[in-house]
Structures are given as structure tokens and as C-alpha cells.
Amino acid sequence: FRSLFKFDAKIKLVIDKLAITPAKLALSPDGSTLAIALTEEKHGKLYLIRLGGSSLKLEPLTDQTSADSTYPAFTRDGKKILFSGSDPDGGTNLYLMETDGTNKTLFKRDASNGEYSSDGSKVVFMRNDGIFVCNADGSGEESLTGGKLLEIWRPSFNPANGTEVLFVRAKDKGVTIETMNTKHSGSRTLSAGFKGVIAFDTSARFTPDGQKILFTAAEPPSRTSNLYTMNSDGSTIKKLTTAGAYTDR
């Protein structure tokens, strides 16, 4: 998101005027709209920015003073937004709403970090530090991690096949980038050849063609995070930025 600001001064100006901190974002499938989760008064709120116009402005989607809304994801037709939201009891659920913020409905209870497959037929999400997959209507829920408790972050599908799930995982010896197939158990570590420190509080993401993975990391002795890519099998790691950057989606 910080990198996006560097390339689009108009979006940066909109955020700076409100003096609020950017958190997570999602771009609509047609590239015309940006959904942003912003931290305001210690709570996450969702906003919309319609791109392409001469004047950009934030359109509020949620208005909560004691709850959080974050991690937006557009449905593949771009008509709705899936997001993580907290309830009055302190739990976190997945909700669906129209792109104007209306018709909010519960999608999955005790769930977060939902992402759609490239064809829109499946949703991958987190629950109790496990990875789950369900159909786009919420049916057919299945655990990919067998109920095991894992320290994982932001699972997402490979756009090229819709069966491979990418995620970041914290282990005793550091953070790794791994994949898991929805059709059989077991995960594969892709980042074994990287000697730097992978950022846990960010996302690893496939490129749209599924050939490469974009991730955030820092190489000693520097503590500055930068963007890197590697092939989808974990080979050929390349550093993309040098002045500090952060990936979200």
C-alpha cells in the first residue's frame, strides 16, 4: 500500500488529509475501485475509492466506533465485498455487503481473512489459526489443516489453478512461505532458499499468471522491508525495491 502511494499522489493526498493510517486494500476485478481498511480511532473501518476520476475521495462503507472491519475482498463480479468484522462479543466473522456498504450479511462465523479463487467459485479463509475452504455460497466447508493449530497468515489461491493455496507461517526458526493443495494434505515450503527475514505481518501473493510470488522481507543487516519475487517453485529470488516497501494484495 505504501508503494501504491508512491505511484499515485492523488490517493496519498486523500489519506493524508484525514491523518489516518492505511491498513489493507483490495482492487476490484475491473480495476475501477479500491476498497481500503483504515485504522481510525483505534478501529478498522472500510472505505471505497473510485479510481479514474479527476477528483478522488473516500466513501465510507462501515461506520463502527467499537468494532473493526478489515481485510476486504471483492467478489469476482465486483458487486459485493467480503470482509472480516468483529461482533459485540469480541469474535471475528466474515461478512458480505454491497459495494455501497448496504445489505451486510453474515458469511462465516468465527472466521477471517477471506479470499476468492480466480473463478469466484471458492473462498479460502482462516479460523482458529487453521486454513479452510468453502464454496462461494458458504457451503461445502472443509479444513485443509486437519484442525491443527498453525501460526498462519493471509491464505490465498493461485490464480492459475484455483487448487493451490499460498500462506505465510511462523515457525520456531522463523517465518516461511508455504503452499498447500486443496485436493491432498501436506504443505510445501517455498522460501527455504531465502536467507533474509520474511515479514510475518504481511502477505505473500501470486502474480496474476501464477508464475511468481511477491512477498515482503528484509535482508540483514538492514531492518528495512522490501519487495521480493520468486518463482512459484521457490527458485530465483529477486529483490524489487531498495527504499522500503510493503505488499498487501
Side-chain angles (χ1 to χ4, degrees), residues 215-219 222 224-228 239-246:
F215 64 98
T216 305
E219 291 180 282
S222 173
T224 301
S225 292
N226 282 288
L227 294 180
Y228 294 78
K239 187 176 183 179
L240 298 182
T241 63
T242 57
Y246 190 95

Side-chain angles (χ1 to χ4, degrees), residues 152-163:
I152 59 169
W153 195 248
R154 305 299 303 281
S156 61
F157 282 105
N158 183 338
N161 56 46
T163 59

Side-chain angles (χ1 to χ4, degrees), residues 75 80 82 94 96 105-108 116-117 120-125 133-141:
T75 55
K80 294 186 177 182
L82 181 71
L94 280 175
L96 267 174
T105 59
L106 178 67
F107 180 75
K108 282 288 178 183
Y116 286 93
S117 59
S121 65
K122 299 286 184 179
V123 175
V124 62
F125 61 95
V133 171
C134 68
N135 296 323
D137 62 0
S139 65
E141 181 179 312

Side-chain angles (χ1 to χ4, degrees), residues 13 59 111 148 235:
L13 181 62
E59 300 176 18
K148 297 178 183 178
S235 63

Side-chain angles (χ1 to χ4, degrees), residues 46 68-74 81-87 91-97 103-116 122-127 130-138 141 154-155 249:
L46 294 183
D68 286 315
S69 299
T70 187
Y71 300 115
F74 283 92
I81 296 174
L82 181 71
F83 67 97
S84 302
S86 58
D87 59 31
T92 301
N93 306 313
L94 280 175
Y95 297 93
L96 267 174
M97 66 179 172
N103 298 327
K104 175 183 170 182
T105 59
L106 178 67
F107 180 75
K108 282 288 178 183
R109 193 173 297 280
D110 298 322
S112 64
N113 293 264
E115 293 275 357
Y116 286 93
K122 299 286 184 179
V123 175
V124 62
F125 61 95
M126 289 173 51
R127 176 186 286 141
I131 300 176
F132 290 76
V133 171
C134 68
N135 296 323
D137 62 0
E141 181 179 312
R154 305 299 303 281
R249 295 183 185 273

Side-chain angles (χ1 to χ4, degrees), residues 35-56:
I36 307 177
L38 299 169
T39 302
E40 184 179 359
E41 298 176 355
K42 298 182 180 181
H43 297 290
K45 298 182 180 181
L46 294 183
Y47 294 85
L48 210 67
I49 295 181
R50 302 187 189 279
L51 307 175
S54 58
S55 177
L56 300 181

